[in-house]
Amino acid sequence: MDVASLTLSLIAALPEVFLACAGIAILLVGVYSRAQATQTAMILAVAALIGTLALLLLGPERATFAFNDLFINDGFGDFMKVLILVAAALTLVISFGYIRREQMDHFEYPVLIVFAVVGMLMMVSANDLISLYIGLELQSLALYVIAAFRRDTLRSSEAGLKYFVLGALSSGMLLYGMSMVYGFTGTTSFTTLADIFTAQAAAGEGVTLGALIGIVFVTAGLAFKISAVPFHMWTPDVYEGSPTAVTAFFAAAPKVAAMALIVRVLMGPFGELADQWQQIVVFIAIASMILGALAAIQQTNIKRLMAYSSIGHMGYALVGLSAGTPEGIRGVAIYMAIYVLMNIGTFACILCMRQKERMVEDIEDLKGLSKTHPLMALALAIFMFSMAGMPPLAGFFGKLYVFLAAIEAGLYVLAVIGVLTSVIGAYYYLRIVKLMYFDEPVEGFDRPIGRELSLVIGGTAVAVLFFFVVPGPVVDSAASAARAFFAVSG
């Protein structure tokens, strides 16, 4: 690559380059700061994420390729990257007080989150199996460490170890699938793969069995990253064992990045093989929705409940991907945007669950919350109703768009199962509302809950509650993102 091409590539990837440089700078500031290193690093990390967001929004809208087509910038990627950056910034904001109280006051925490976000942005813009894997591992290595960030506690260490071992297994499956695809096609480029499969389809040739097996393994490796069934087994234990602020991050940003990656891989290079992978995605979607709806009913720990809830939500998002149409991809984008808001708001409420300076996680601890913390109970009720898909809250529209896309694609059974599991899943969300409003309080949570938590809870609750009043910005942006994706992939 000559100097001119390298310069153009660096300009195309300016947000990622800026954030990576900012991460290194924050690391140096943390190392050489003598006092308040963590607080300074946290503020700088939030500023870096906001700066990256500004670069992203001010950048060119047209699709651009960089680094010999290893990297792509398009409207779909920009939409997903905005969600990732917002989720990461909000997670850091709600972590300020938590890391100070829970002996996590180390500057490495924001640095690791920044580097994880760099990996996620690279995942979203991957246009080659190699760049896909590099981005994925950059994200994963940082996530393994922050899962075990409280290494002096057994639960956190166990969560980090379990996440690492199972994550390595999924990476092995992904690499095996990639090697099979490369072995039977001779390329790792998404663009070339799409051309090969299109030419084979035009000539009436079927895809080779080896390439098909490779696609199955690639799909399995990616399904692990969104904790879709049957690759979900790590999720409840890692969610429960990780520090709560870290769990909030796990539940939002990495899910958006992994979902964007699945969409880009299956609809891009393997788009011509939709008939083959659609059956797999439909099965994963149905299994995730059913398990997410049924397994959460038995949970008494709210973090484990949120883990099963996230499994179910990924199933709903996959309904949009199953459709394989612009409307389906628009539904996925809208669903992930609403999912981020609901999850960050809910975990901000969970971070407020403290009694006598000690974190509590049992759902029973929420009894009578409406009498001791009425505003927090109201916000949490809004999030629970929204996750259950109650109209006119935002969660209802998220499900509406993916189900409509499935119906338009003729996937009636999938849409019906999605509605039924939504009704079943509503039970455990409404149970929390019942505990808060109809049971007597056992012991109130500590006051005050913190200014930053109040702001995030209030802001996300208002956004979820009044989404139906001004849905245009999210819906129109998601539609533009879907059109941009098909313009490039087509």
Side-chain angles (χ1 to χ4, degrees):
M1 181 182 290
D2 56 30
V3 176
S5 299
L6 179 61
T7 305
L8 290 174
S9 296
L10 289 174
I11 292 172
L14 188 58
E16 287 79 5
V17 173
F18 169 77
L19 191 60
C21 294
I24 296 170
I26 297 167
L27 179 62
L28 293 174
V29 168
V31 169
Y32 290 105
S33 292
R34 295 183 178 179
Q36 296 185 326
T38 307
Q39 191 174 2
T40 305
M42 290 284 282
I43 293 171
L44 288 175
V46 174
L49 292 169
I50 293 173
T52 308
L53 185 61
L55 287 173
L56 198 63
L57 296 176
L58 295 173
E61 293 184 0
R62 66 181 186 280
T64 51
F65 293 87
F67 302 111
N68 289 330
D69 290 353
L70 292 171
F71 184 94
I72 181 173
N73 259 339
D74 59 1
F76 175 75
D78 289 349
F79 184 89
M80 291 300 189
K81 288 176 186 177
V82 167
L83 297 184
I84 292 167
L85 291 166
V86 169
L90 289 178
T91 304
L92 284 176
V93 169
I94 63 176
S95 301
F96 268 90
Y98 178 84
I99 62 169
R100 195 169 51 245
R101 290 190 302 265
E102 299 296 323
Q103 291 84 46
M104 289 173 55
D105 200 2
H106 305 294
F107 70 87
E108 292 89 348
Y109 175 73
V111 172
L112 286 166
I113 286 191
V114 166
F115 284 129
V117 172
V118 174
M120 292 174 204
L121 301 187
M122 289 176 63
M123 286 165 60
V124 172
S125 281
N127 194 46
D128 190 284
L129 291 173
I130 302 300
S131 54
L132 175 161
Y133 186 73
I134 291 172
L136 194 63
E137 287 307 298
L138 178 58
Q139 172 214 242
S140 298
L141 290 174
L143 296 186
Y144 299 150
V145 178
I146 59 172
F149 204 75
R150 292 194 65 188
R151 62 181 187 276
D152 54 336
T153 65
L154 181 61
R155 284 205 316 172
S156 182
S157 301
E158 183 183 343
L161 183 62
K162 189 170 288 185
Y163 194 20
F164 172 72
V165 172
L166 294 176
L169 178 65
S170 77
S171 293
M173 287 193 293
L174 185 66
L175 276 175
Y176 182 70
M178 288 165 54
S179 65
M180 291 287 283
V181 171
Y182 175 72
F184 282 87
T185 60
T187 182
T188 56
S189 167
F190 287 0
T191 307
T192 311
L193 281 170
D195 291 342
I196 289 173
F197 291 130
T198 303
Q200 286 180 345
E205 300 173 4
V207 62
T208 59
L209 181 60
L212 197 59
I213 292 173
I215 294 168
V216 171
F217 273 93
V218 168
T219 308
L222 296 178
F224 175 91
K225 301 301 178 186
I226 59 167
S227 56
V229 177
F231 308 101
H232 65 285
M233 64 292 289
W234 61 275
T235 315
D237 292 339
V238 173
Y239 270 45
E240 184 184 10
S242 301
T244 306
V246 173
T247 310
F249 184 61
F250 283 175
K255 294 291 174 63
V256 176
M259 185 59 73
L261 187 56
I262 289 178
V263 170
R264 195 177 286 286
V265 171
L266 293 184
M267 296 295 297
F270 305 135
E272 198 63 45
L273 309 177
D275 291 342
Q276 276 80 19
W277 58 253
Q278 189 183 46
Q279 301 163 41
I280 302 172
V281 175
V282 167
F283 167 76
I284 292 175
I286 291 173
S288 300
M289 289 188 293
I290 292 175
L291 185 124
L294 297 177
I297 293 173
Q298 305 296 328
Q299 304 305 315
T300 57
N301 182 291
I302 193 161
K303 287 165 71 177
R304 290 186 73 86
L305 184 144
M306 289 301 295
Y308 284 107
S309 168
S310 77
I311 293 169
H313 283 297
M314 290 305 103
Y316 295 120
L318 287 174
V319 171
L321 174 60
S322 303
T325 60
E327 290 74 22
I329 303 307
R330 180 190 65 171
V332 173
I334 294 171
Y335 200 94
M336 296 312 295
I338 294 170
Y339 172 81
V340 165
L341 285 176
M342 294 188 301
N343 264 273
I344 293 293
T346 303
F347 273 99
C349 292
I350 294 173
L351 283 168
C352 299
M353 293 174 62
R354 298 180 56 80
Q355 291 173 348
K356 298 175 181 175
E357 296 298 318
R358 184 177 59 86
M359 290 293 300
V360 290
E361 297 173 359
D362 284 347
I363 295 171
E364 296 288 316
D365 294 318
L366 290 166
K367 280 183 175 178
L369 188 66
S370 63
K371 298 180 178 63
T372 57
H373 291 73
L375 291 178
M376 179 182 160
L378 177 63
L380 190 53
I382 290 171
F383 297 132
M384 293 298 105
F385 280 126
S386 181
M387 286 192 181
M390 299 284 184
L393 299 175
F396 167 75
F397 292 96
K399 291 180 180 175
L400 178 68
Y401 281 107
V402 293
F403 291 159
L404 285 177
I407 291 170
E408 289 175 6
L411 302 171
Y412 303 111
V413 175
L414 184 61
V416 170
I417 292 175
V419 173
L420 290 176
T421 53
S422 294
V423 174
I424 297 170
Y427 168 79
Y428 57 83
Y429 294 123
L430 297 182
R431 177 171 164 247
I432 292 177
V433 177
K434 177 256 180 190
L435 287 172
M436 293 191 297
Y437 280 91
F438 296 101
D439 286 17
E440 290 300 317
V442 285
E443 185 177 359
F445 295 144
D446 295 347
R447 290 174 183 271
I449 63 174
R451 185 185 302 171
E452 65 277 5
L453 282 173
S454 303
L455 285 173
V456 172
I457 292 171
T460 50
V462 168
V464 169
L465 181 60
F466 294 107
F467 175 82
F468 73 96
V469 178
V470 194
V474 174
V475 175
D476 294 343
S477 300
S480 299
R483 284 196 298 272
F485 178 79
F486 275 88
V488 174
S489 301

